[in-house]
Amino acid sequence: PIDSTQALKMAEVAPQGTCVKDVPAAAFIQAYAAHLKREGKIAIPQWVDIVKTAPHKELAPVDEDWFYVRCASIARKLYVRPNIGVGGLAKIYGSKANRGTRREHYKKASAGIIRYMLKQLEAIDILEQVPEGGKAKGRRVSSSGQQALDRIAGAVRDAAEEAGEDDADGSDSDSSSSSSSSVILLVLVL
């Protein structure tokens, strides 16, 4: 039999799996967006540079990679909270509409863009539709998609730990830029 001190030592030494919930959301989304862009499996529509993300927005997003970032964000949302449909995601990504001198009102995001992104993530087997017949509707992360997302989360966690060790050894004052660059480099290695 194993006593409690041996069990604690084994728990400290044993590697633990990392899931998406274990890493900061911003770091994961940035790393997964870079991964999606590098893979090139998602078909980018022609209208990506002129479309608005919601009817109450005035302009298209300024970031050139906004499509990959939103896809990564949707994948993370469905990982953390499965069984969300297009309407639920439109509510999540909606915001207040500036109506000039009148009161602001909440407006949903564009459901067509979200639907297109969901279909693209389904095509690369990250998401799947929830089977009909039960209470739940919408989409969820597939088992192969969960493995892929957890692998990226593990890379983000490893990069953050390496950046933490580098900061402790050296006198790097700008830790946020060094950790984000190491996350991107580590993801590019995958």
Side-chain angles (χ1 to χ4, degrees):
I2 299 174
D3 65 345
S4 61
T5 58
Q6 288 177 338
L8 287 174
K9 288 180 183 177
M10 288 172 46
E12 291 175 5
V13 175
Q16 295 180 347
T18 304
C19 72
V20 174
K21 296 178 183 179
D22 295 337
V23 296
F28 173 78
I29 290 170
Q30 180 185 11
Y32 191 55
H35 174 75
L36 288 174
K37 184 176 181 180
R38 189 183 79 252
E39 271 190 342
K41 292 183 180 177
I42 292 183
I44 302 297
Q46 294 177 348
W47 43 259
V48 75
D49 56 341
I50 58 173
V51 72
K52 301 187 305 180
T53 56
H56 62 278
K57 299 287 184 181
E58 291 186 16
L59 298 171
V62 178
D63 185 13
E64 293 178 1
D65 298 333
W66 73 268
F67 194 83
Y68 296 109
V69 173
R70 180 65 61 95
C71 284
S73 177
I74 286 174
R76 185 185 180 283
K77 288 274 186 206
L78 288 169
Y79 185 100
V80 173
R81 189 175 141 205
N83 304 330
I84 302 176
V86 175
L89 289 168
K91 287 179 193 174
I92 290 170
Y93 289 107
S95 62
K96 294 185 289 185
N98 184 0
R99 301 177 349 130
T101 58
R102 298 176 295 171
R103 286 186 178 175
E104 295 175 336
H105 287 292
Y106 180 80
K107 298 288 183 183
K108 291 182 185 178
S110 176
I113 296 171
I114 292 172
R115 187 177 298 108
Y116 183 84
M117 290 178 182
L118 289 173
K119 287 182 180 181
Q120 292 301 310
L121 289 171
E122 283 179 12
I124 61 172
D125 201 31
I126 298 297
L127 302 179
E128 64 185 8
Q129 288 190 353
V130 176
E132 294 185 24
K135 278 184 166 180
K137 296 181 182 178
R139 288 176 172 86
R140 63 182 175 200
V141 176
S142 65
S143 60
S144 61
Q146 183 175 356
Q147 290 174 355
L149 295 176
D150 287 343
R151 189 178 69 246
I152 299 295
V156 170
R157 183 177 176 185
D158 292 343
E161 288 176 357
E162 287 178 12
E165 291 173 4
D166 291 343
D167 289 344
D169 295 340
S171 61
D172 188 16
S173 62
D174 189 18
S175 63
S176 63
S177 66
S178 66
S179 65
S180 64
S181 62
S182 62
V183 167
I184 292 173
L185 290 175
L186 187 60
V187 170
L188 292 177
V189 171
L190 288 176

